[in-house]
Every structure is written in C-alpha cells, then in structure tokens.
Amino acid sequence: MENFMSLSLEQKMVSETCRSTCQVSEAPKPSWGTIYFFSDMASAVTLTDEIMLLQMNGWVSCFSFLLFCTYYMAAARNANTLLELSPQEYSSSLQPGRASLVYFSRDGSPGDRLFLEQLENSVGALQDYGISVVKVNCLKEDVSGYCGKENALMKAYLFRGNVLLRQFPTDALFDVNAIVANILFALLFNEVKYITTLVELQNLENSLKGRSNVVFAYVPAIGTPEHRAVMEAAFVYGTAHQFVLTTEAALLKNIGREDSDALSARLFFCHCQRVPDLAQPCRRTLMVQSLTTLNIHTYLKLMAAPIVTEVAEDPEKVSTVHLQLRLPLVFILSQKETYEVDKRTAEFVAWQLLGKAGVALLSRDSIDLNVLLRSNVALKTAEEGVPIKYLVLEDTDEIIALVEDKIKGEQIQEDEDESDDNNDQDIQDDQVMEAVYRDRKRELPLELIRTLTEETFNAALTETAHMVVLFYASWEAVSLAMLQSYVEVAVALKGTQGISLAKVNCWDWPDVCMKQNVTQFPITKMYEKGARSLTYAGMLGTAELLRFLRLSSISCPVKLTTIEEVDEYLSREGHADSSSYHSTSVLGIFHPSMKEAREAFVEAGNTLRGYVTTGLYAEDDALVLARKYAVPLPALLLARHEDDRIDSVPLSKQSAPDIVQTIRSQLLETFPEITVENLPDYLSLEKPLLILFSDGGLNRRVRMEMLSLADGKGHEAFLACWMNLKNTPVGRGVLKAYFSTPPPLPLLAWVNLHSGGQVFAFPSDQSVTETNVLSWLEKLKAGREIPSTTLSDEAWKPPLPAYNFLRMMEATLPEFTVHKVYRRGGTDELQQAEEISEEKSTVREEQVEEPGLEAETGQSPGRDLRGTAPRLAGREKPPKRHTEL
C-alpha cells in the first residue's frame, strides 16, 4: 500500500476505516459488500459515516470489506499518473472554470526529478478536488509563453481555465502534503480567512454570531500535514462552518493558551451560532487530538451533535453519535420536581465534556428502572456486552473526573499496544528519542518554571540573584529529555531563596538564543547579577544538574584572610550545607607577591565553578601553611572530606588552563568506582583499565589489595578501578560484550580500549592479591596470555543517521513554507527530511475553561447534583499540567 501520508482526504478516510473495521469488528457471518465509486468528496464523507455506524453496531465484518478495500486502493494507485503534454496540447486542453496545476519542464533541468516525484504522488489527491496536474514539456528552442519566462522552470502555476491564480516556487511544494495544502489554500482563499491578530478573530466571531460557527486552526507553518488536514476539512465542511487559519503562535497565547510554546497545531470550534447577543463571547472548544483528517472529521461530527439529548426509553437501547464514535455516554437521571435544575446540571457537564463524551438527560418517571433510587448518574460505554454502570455521585467534578480518567486510561493502553506492535526503527533514532517517544504521555508540572520571551528575557535576569535558564527546542528529543530533568530540579529547589528557573524555546525565540551565544541545545546557563553567565556542561540527569546549581550559587573562589578561616574551610564542618554535593574542597595558597599565579587561580576557580568549591589564601603568613603541609608555594590543598585527609600539590605550572587541568586530575580518585557519569573523565586519561566487576560492594580485603595496586609500582601505566553492577546495571551488557559466557563475579579484567582493544580475564582459580595480579600483568606484557575477545575499532555511531534539522529550519512566510532541496546528500537525505516533516505533533491534553451557565439564583449550575443527590463542598481543581513528554 502506498504511503498513507500521500493519500487524499477521501483515500485516507476510507483506508483508515477499512483498517479499523478489520481490527475491531466481529460479525458472525461474512457478507459481501458493495463496490462504491466516488464522484465527489461528500460521497466519501457520507460513506465513511455509514461505515462508522455499521462498525460500531458490530455487524460489519473485515471480510465484508476485503473486496471493497482492495478494489478501491488499486483504483487510487492507478489514478496517480502525471499527464504530460506539449505546450500546444496543453493550450488546447484548457477547460473554462477547471483548475489545473501546471509545471513547465525542460529536459535536464536541475531539481526536476525530485520535484516531479512529489508532483506525481499528488496527482490522485488533487484529482479528488477536480484539479488537473499537468507537466508541460518545453523544447529547448521554445521561448514563447511560460516556457520562455525567466525562472519559470523553478515555479509551478495554478490556473482556473486560462486565468493564472497563483504561482509557487517549487521549493514551497516540497512534498505531497505541501502541494495539496498550498493548492487548496489558494483555491479556498475567500472561504478560509487568514488572520494574524486576536482583534481579527473577535471581529469575525461578532459578524457570525447567531448565524454560523467558526473553526479556528493554528498551524506552525503552511504546507505541513496539519495544514493539509485543515484545508481538506474546509473543502468538505466549508459551507457549514466558517474556517479561519493562522500561523501566529502569539495569537494562541492571546486567547489564553499559555502552554502553546510547543508549536503543535491546534484547532478550536467557536460556538457562535448559539450566541444571539453581540455582547456575549463565543465559547471555544479545543480539539485535544492531533490534527489529522479523520480526527477533524470526527471532531466536527461531535460539535454538530446536540449538547444534551433528552431520552425517555431504556438506556440500553439508546444510541447517539458519541457511542457510534466509541465515546462514552453519561446519563443524568432526572425527575419532574427537579427537571430544570437537572437540565442545567446536564448542560454544565456537557460543556465540560464536549468532544470527550455525550450527555443525556434520562427521566425516571417515564421508564421502570431496576436500579437504586439513590443513583443519579449512569455511564454507558461503546463496548459490547459491558453493562451500564449506575452510580451515586455527589458533585459534577466526580462525573468529569470519571470520564476523563477512563479516556486517559484507554489512550495509554492504545499507546502501549501501538508501541508493542511498531517496529523499533519506526520510532527511534537513538535511545534518547525512543525514551522520549515512549514517555510522551507523561505530564510535566511546569508551574515552577517561568517561560521567557524576547520581551521578558532581559528583565527576568535582574529579578533574582541567580537566574537559571534552559535553552531548548520543543521538537528535539534530547531537549525534551532534558526538560524532564529540569522540572525535577525545579521541584527540588522549590522555596530556595535566590534561585529561579526559567526556559526559552529557541524555536520560538531564535534571536534571544543567538544573542546568548546558544549554538546548540539543550543548554543550561546560570546568570548572576553583575557577573558573567555560567554554562552547564555536565550530564543531563537531575542529580548532576542539581549539584551544579547548588555549587554555582557558592562564590568561587572564596577569599580567606585568617588561618582560622582556612582550618574551618578545610574541615567537613565548614561545608555542612553543601557537603552532600561535593566530596573535595580545593584551596590555593599564594604569597602576596605572586600576583600572576593568584590571578590565574581566580580564573581557574571561575572556570570550575559549579563543579568544585575553591578557596584562596594570599596573606603574608601563607608560608606558615606551606610549612604545615610541607609544600612549596604556590600550592594547592585538597581536603577530601570522605577520607578525612588533606593532600598538598605544588603548582609547577601556573597558567589558568594548567591549574584547571591539575585540579581536574587531582579530583580523580585513586581507585574509582566507574559509573555512567564519570566514565568519560577516566577514559580521557587514555590508559588501559584494570577493572574489577562486582555484584555489590567490595569486601575490605579485596579493596585493600586493589588500592595497593593503584598506589604501587608501575601504577601510572594503567587505571585500577571497579564497577558495582547493582549501581550500574549497564555493566552487565559490557560483560556480555567482553565474554560470550560471563564468568562468575567478582571478575577482574584488563581492557585496553585505546590500543588493540584486547580484553583479558584474570584466572578465576586465583585470589585477587597484589602479588597474583602483578604476576599476571607480567604475563600479559610478555604475550603469554590469550585475550578473551578483541573489541572492534569501528567508531561508535547511532543506530540510525541523525536528521539534519538545520536544513529544515527555513524562514516561514504566510503564503508558504520554503524547504530547500539539497542534492549533496542524495535522495535518501531528502526522503529522510520529508519523513520527519510528516511526523505527527505531540498531542497535549489540557482542561478547557468554559464559563458556566448562570442559574436563576445567580449561582453557577452544574456545580452539584442537587436535583438527585445532596451537595458536597467544591473540590479544588487540579493544576493544569504540560504534556510535552
């Protein structure tokens, strides 16, 4: 089957319906279906509605649609043939009033092949709307008409009859979605209003109040899959509703969508037809699903349904459009005495659940219900064989929560099933992207993180002593993974004086990021009043970032003036507040005359700020400290708090980079435990690893033997270390790579990553002692041991090539989106760029705040179920949560 994203509206609706019918229907007997031929889009919509209805009733089988689906998709493929004509043939074939998309081509024209592939793929989709697609073959000697126009071969032309309506650069028609979206946008220009401000939207709503509803859509750019879906919906439903389009993200924020920085497409249904009074605003209902053709079709069907349905029959026999579309139906049980109140309650609930569930008012008096008289709510689902649930609820919030929790649970289950069925290569570029994809439904509380814009950025930096800013891109996987850690850090720092967290979406505000020298993302920077910013360069985990921010808030280097202050600084008690974030404190001691060395140390301290605490002592009695610790000036003192010892290191090289390197090397442990976080630091030494794998902590004897090896003769030639597989489970995968059958633990191995890649295992029948290990190392040096394995010297690369996003980030204009065609990488790279442009935006769920219907008493109806149950106190509304992940 051809790529689903290249199908037309009609094809997608029928294809999706065929596929879903085959997945869910269970008919006892197969029956032959009827073959349908479509003359227009309305027929496809009508048929799809009928199929949905039959499917929901359970008597349409997959077998019934086998012949229909096969025939239809075959016919759709045969329609995708590009008509090729000469200039004379094209002129004679023009039909008055018929639209045609024409490309004037000349053999050997650069870019022809790539563009023509997309143009041919769009033929069938455009023919559904009565639009012909023609390639006119221009001869080299032909300089008349469009064949002879300058740059005509880099453009496509839209005609109605022989009248030119619009011309498009071929770069703007970069794939089937862009072609269909741009062509329909041009043809429906008078029907689909393009706006840029909130005032334009409000004026349009006012002009339609009491007459028609408005479908308002935001798309990040013209030519995207979401834009195509909106335009196809406008083609079908344009006579029923007024469609409005914008690409201005600021407009979303103006209508109260504070979390719109993710740049996902949005669609709102503005209920203006129900508003007779010009002073009353139109309600706006957000479509929470992603903008696809089928989702928009379903959504508009729901918006056309009655807000509340009044029924007086057995609820088991009730069928509404909501149940047909697999959505639940809520019954509010009523009686004559409380009918008006119950109706207002039902209307209130219906507005809150609009698009998520249906609401019906069920009269107790007209039927004989075999239920408890205290029941006031019933819930009917679309699943066959599931009985109606009769409930006693005391607040409308409970009804809303009941429905939303059910929908969310079903969505999570569908996502898990989809993830299990999908090929991993379809959903991941690397492990980070796969993790973000699988965790995309997790809700992040972003209330503690301020969103900055170009207008608020500079002012925010002066509002607190330390402002931390995350620069990220909302469409990039690593940025979204980092955002999760950033939120967890914000929770840990909640209430901390002097530190505030904010974020800037570089996709929204590229100028801000450029001025802050953000050349890659995600990047976290800490800004301090009156000082330069600090850039975080560590791991993207929560603990590492939190440690950096805690240590960054400490002034470095700390200037000490007395011996007593030095003793306190070097002691554990002097760092009680921050001891959990660092294990070593560094003190530089200088004679007052050593000005250059002292300034270099200050620069080194600023460089290492956030990673280690540094202190400076440069008084006249610095020689007293030097004699105390037996070290010549200038020198470093390293207080290792975990071991309760102080090491002294002379500064033979006194430039700032040399001091930084000296401190970094001294912070490395003699016999370290290797973890994911510190492995790069130790690999940078480029030494062979003598590594002990252990399934837990080391006993005292083995630790002392390994420490003797690390400090003994010849220890400079290798790095003695160990790995606790309970703390670092990835080590088990390392062992599998080293040994086909991992030996029992503990296991001592020699790994030479930087020269030859050979891996040797210490004999399991010998105990790990300094003498035995040194004897074994001598055999290795003499070549008398056989390696267990030899690691490949191939570069470690991601499982799939990375997308080149910079080639896709082109300027967006209201008329179209320009996607440059780069031929250096070949068709594979272009196809990859097209595929990523078709990825669906993340669906974000949010609560839609709607004004309540005013009761006669002045209170908001629907807050309680007082018609059939006692009222309880109002419940606190849960905070709105962001769901970028």
Side-chain angles (χ1 to χ4, degrees):
M1 184 175 290
E2 296 182 18
N3 186 349
F4 185 72
M5 291 304 296
S6 68
L7 300 179
S8 68
L9 170 65
E10 172 189 340
Q11 296 169 16
K12 282 191 284 188
M13 291 166 61
V14 175
S15 176
E16 274 198 20
T17 308
C18 288
R19 182 171 55 187
S20 61
T21 300
C22 292
Q23 289 176 346
V24 302
S25 60
E26 298 179 358
K29 296 181 181 179
S31 59
W32 288 102
T34 303
I35 297 178
Y36 293 84
F37 295 89
F38 301 97
S39 59
D40 55 25
M41 287 307 303
S43 302
V45 173
T46 303
L47 175 68
T48 305
D49 290 341
E50 293 175 356
I51 293 174
M52 285 182 177
L53 176 60
L54 300 182
Q55 175 184 328
M56 304 316 156
N57 290 334
W59 54 273
V60 175
S61 68
C62 176
F63 188 64
S64 303
F65 274 89
L66 179 60
L67 179 62
F68 164 72
C69 294
T70 303
Y71 179 88
Y72 178 80
M73 297 310 298
R77 285 195 295 271
N78 294 334
N80 289 340
T81 302
L82 182 62
L83 184 63
E84 298 191 32
L85 301 174
S86 67
Q88 294 75 20
E89 291 172 333
Y90 170 68
S91 298
S92 61
S93 67
L94 293 176
Q95 301 178 23
R98 182 176 177 84
S100 59
L101 178 64
V102 186
Y103 178 62
F104 296 90
S105 174
R106 181 171 292 160
D107 291 340
S109 299
D112 255 9
R113 180 173 59 84
L114 297 176
F115 173 69
L116 287 175
E117 288 179 1
Q118 301 304 318
L119 190 65
E120 185 169 3
N121 291 337
S122 67
V123 171
L126 291 177
Q127 283 182 348
D128 289 335
Y129 306 101
I131 304 169
S132 302
V133 184
V134 181
K135 173 190 173 187
V136 176
N137 294 313
C138 297
L139 301 176
K140 292 185 178 180
E141 60 274 11
D142 190 353
V143 294
S144 61
Y146 287 95
C147 288
K149 282 192 174 184
E150 184 179 1
N151 296 327
L153 302 181
M154 297 302 293
K155 296 179 180 179
Y157 298 85
L158 179 63
F159 293 90
R160 179 174 280 123
N162 60 355
V163 178
L164 176 64
L165 299 180
R166 181 74 63 85
Q167 55 183 342
F168 302 92
T170 55
D171 287 341
L173 308 180
F174 48 85
D175 65 4
V176 175
N177 292 313
I179 294 173
V180 176
N182 276 292
I183 300 307
L184 290 181
F185 195 21
L187 293 176
L188 299 174
F189 188 77
N190 293 325
E191 288 78 14
V192 180
K193 305 295 184 182
Y194 182 85
I195 63 173
T196 58
T197 65
L198 179 61
V199 174
E200 291 179 275
L201 177 61
Q202 292 173 338
N203 291 339
L204 189 60
E205 288 178 333
N206 289 335
S207 66
L208 295 173
K209 286 178 180 178
R211 298 190 297 112
S212 179
N213 296 315
V214 176
V215 179
F216 169 54
Y218 161 77
V219 293
I222 301 300
T224 59
E226 295 81 8
H227 180 219
R228 174 183 175 178
V230 172
M231 299 311 302
E232 290 177 326
F235 188 90
V236 177
Y237 296 99
T239 57
H241 311 295
Q242 173 64 61
F243 279 74
V244 180
L245 185 73
T246 187
T247 56
E248 299 294 330
L251 184 52
L252 286 186
K253 298 180 180 180
N254 290 337
I255 64 175
R257 300 295 159 186
E258 296 297 335
D259 59 346
S260 58
D261 63 337
L263 280 185
S264 59
R266 301 296 182 89
L267 188 139
F268 300 84
F269 191 89
C270 307
H271 305 267
C272 297
Q273 193 173 15
R274 299 173 179 271
V275 182
D277 186 2
L278 291 178
Q280 184 179 353
C282 300
R283 290 175 179 264
R284 299 188 185 115
T285 302
L286 172 67
M287 175 180 167
V288 297
Q289 293 82 12
S290 58
L291 266 62
T292 65
T293 301
L294 195 60
N295 285 346
I296 296 177
H297 168 68
T298 301
Y299 176 74
L300 294 179
K301 295 289 290 183
L302 293 173
M303 294 301 104
I307 295 295
V308 175
T309 303
E310 297 193 27
V311 295
E313 59 177 319
D314 186 354
E316 293 286 357
K317 299 179 181 179
V318 173
S319 177
T320 66
V321 66
H322 302 86
L323 293 172
Q324 296 165 12
L325 296 174
R326 312 296 294 176
L327 295 178
L329 179 63
V330 176
F331 292 96
I332 304 294
L333 277 62
S334 179
Q335 51 195 12
K336 289 183 179 180
E337 294 78 9
T338 59
Y339 171 77
E340 292 298 331
V341 175
D342 295 338
K343 184 178 180 180
R344 288 197 295 268
T345 298
E347 290 175 347
F348 176 84
V349 173
W351 281 109
Q352 301 303 310
L353 295 178
L354 191 59
K356 302 175 183 178
V359 176
L361 192 63
L362 179 62
S363 174
R364 295 175 182 270
D365 304 324
S366 58
I367 56 175
D368 180 21
L369 287 177
N370 186 22
V371 295
L372 294 175
L373 293 178
R374 291 182 59 240
S375 298
N376 52 12
V377 173
L379 181 65
K380 181 178 182 180
T381 61
E383 290 84 358
E384 292 186 8
V386 178
I388 295 178
K389 293 182 179 180
Y390 291 92
L391 308 168
V392 180
L393 302 181
E394 299 176 344
D395 193 283
T396 55
D397 287 347
E398 293 185 4
I399 302 177
I400 297 169
L402 176 68
V403 174
E404 291 183 343
D405 290 346
K406 177 177 176 57
I407 294 174
K408 186 176 295 184
E410 292 175 349
Q411 183 64 45
I412 292 174
Q413 183 62 44
E414 290 176 3
D415 293 337
E416 291 176 351
D417 295 341
E418 179 185 351
S419 298
D420 293 338
D421 295 338
N422 283 347
N423 187 324
D424 285 344
Q425 294 234 341
D426 293 336
I427 62 173
Q428 70 172 41
D429 289 322
D430 53 28
Q431 291 176 342
V432 174
M433 179 167 286
E434 179 181 1
V436 170
Y437 178 87
R438 295 190 185 280
D439 204 24
R440 66 193 184 280
K441 292 297 181 181
R442 177 176 178 181
E443 298 180 348
L444 290 181
L446 292 178
E447 298 86 4
L448 301 176
I449 301 175
R450 180 178 177 183
T451 299
L452 300 182
T453 66
E454 188 173 15
E455 292 77 15
T456 61
F457 182 84
N458 292 328
L461 300 187
T462 63
E463 294 176 1
T464 184
H466 300 92
M467 174 62 76
V468 186
V469 182
L470 171 65
F471 298 91
Y472 73 106
S474 56
W475 45 261
E476 195 258 337
V478 180
S479 290
L480 297 181
M482 179 60 180
L483 188 61
Q484 177 177 331
S485 298
Y486 198 63
V487 169
E488 293 171 354
V489 169
V491 173
L493 293 177
K494 183 179 180 180
T496 303
Q497 295 295 326
I499 299 181
S500 298
L501 274 67
K503 60 185 174 71
V504 174
N505 188 350
C506 292
W507 183 264
D508 278 343
W509 309 104
D511 290 343
V512 175
C513 298
M514 186 179 300
K515 292 177 182 178
Q516 299 304 313
N517 196 29
V518 176
T519 57
Q520 63 184 39
F521 33 72
I523 286 291
T524 304
K525 293 192 175 188
M526 172 178 274
Y527 295 85
E528 185 178 15
K529 287 184 179 180
R532 62 182 182 180
S533 63
L534 297 176
T535 301
Y536 176 64
M539 301 286 289
L540 303 186
T542 303
E544 294 77 13
L545 179 57
L546 180 60
R547 176 179 180 271
F548 172 81
L549 298 182
R550 286 290 194 185
L551 295 181
S552 296
S553 61
I554 302 174
S555 178
C556 287
V558 179
K559 295 184 179 180
L560 309 175
T561 58
T562 65
I563 298 294
E564 290 74 17
E565 290 180 353
V566 170
D567 292 337
E568 182 180 0
Y569 175 82
L570 295 176
S571 67
R572 179 185 292 269
E573 290 74 15
H575 303 274
D577 295 338
S578 59
S579 60
S580 59
Y581 300 102
H582 68 102
S583 58
T584 303
S585 300
V586 179
L587 176 66
I589 51 177
F590 303 86
H591 191 273
S593 62
M594 300 176 179
K595 181 179 178 181
E596 293 184 1
R598 185 175 70 249
E599 292 177 349
F601 179 79
V602 171
E603 183 178 347
N606 288 327
T607 301
L608 294 173
R609 184 175 177 183
Y611 301 96
V612 64
T613 57
T614 56
L616 172 64
Y617 189 77
E619 302 299 324
D620 294 332
D621 54 355
L623 288 173
V624 175
L625 286 176
R627 287 193 292 269
K628 179 179 179 180
Y629 294 101
V631 62
L633 296 180
L636 299 178
L637 299 180
L638 291 93
R640 305 186 189 276
H641 304 301
E642 291 184 353
D643 299 331
D644 287 329
R645 80 173 195 269
I646 297 176
D647 296 333
S648 58
V649 180
L651 281 178
S652 56
K653 297 181 179 180
Q654 300 170 13
S655 67
D658 290 331
I659 295 175
V660 170
Q661 183 59 38
T662 299
I663 294 175
R664 288 188 184 276
S665 62
Q666 290 297 322
L667 290 176
L668 299 179
E669 299 178 33
T670 305
F671 177 56
E673 177 187 351
I674 297 297
T675 64
V676 174
E677 292 78 14
N678 65 20
L679 178 61
D681 295 330
Y682 291 102
L683 286 182
S684 65
L685 300 177
E686 297 188 356
K687 293 182 179 182
L689 301 181
L690 181 63
I691 182 168
L692 179 63
F693 293 93
S694 174
D695 192 17
L698 299 180
N699 62 53
R700 176 177 174 79
R701 184 193 65 80
V702 173
R703 178 180 289 277
M704 296 306 297
E705 294 289 347
M706 293 299 296
L707 281 172
S708 298
L709 282 168
D711 287 329
K713 181 180 179 181
H715 70 276
E716 297 88 356
F718 61 87
L719 173 67
C721 56
W722 71 291
M723 181 179 290
N724 187 340
L725 299 186
K726 288 186 176 180
N727 296 338
T728 311
V730 71
R732 300 188 187 276
V734 174
L735 283 177
K736 289 181 180 179
Y738 288 172
F739 310 101
S740 56
T741 303
L745 300 177
L747 169 66
L748 183 64
W750 176 274
V751 185
N752 196 348
L753 293 173
H754 304 284
S755 178
Q758 294 177 328
V759 178
F760 298 87
F762 183 74
S764 58
D765 58 347
Q766 297 184 26
S767 60
V768 178
T769 64
E770 181 179 6
T771 303
N772 290 342
V773 174
L774 288 177
S775 174
W776 178 62
L777 293 180
E778 289 296 329
K779 293 180 181 179
L780 296 184
K781 187 183 298 184
R784 298 200 301 268
E785 292 285 337
I786 300 176
S788 301
T789 187
T790 300
L791 302 178
S792 172
D793 59 354
E794 295 181 1
W796 295 352
K797 296 180 179 179
L800 294 175
Y803 294 122
N804 191 337
F805 288 105
L806 295 179
R807 292 187 176 180
M808 304 173 66
M809 293 171 59
E810 298 292 344
T812 300
L813 300 177
E815 290 81 10
F816 49 80
T817 302
V818 179
H819 279 216
K820 297 292 184 182
V821 177
Y822 293 86
R823 301 178 183 85
R824 180 178 300 176
T827 58
D828 290 342
E829 186 171 352
L830 178 64
Q831 181 180 0
Q832 188 182 73
E834 293 166 359
E835 290 171 356
I836 189 62
S837 69
E838 293 174 354
E839 289 182 353
K840 294 181 180 180
S841 301
T842 304
V843 180
R844 295 182 295 168
E845 300 178 3
E846 61 181 74
Q847 183 176 351
V848 181
E849 300 290 343
E850 296 287 358
L853 299 175
E854 295 300 324
E856 297 177 0
T857 60
Q859 297 176 339
S860 296
R863 301 306 302 159
D864 67 305
L865 303 180
R866 57 186 173 182
T868 52
R871 177 181 182 181
L872 291 185
R875 289 163 174 76
E876 181 181 358
K877 290 286 185 181
K880 292 174 66 177
R881 292 182 178 272
H882 196 285
T883 56
E884 278 184 296
L885 296 184

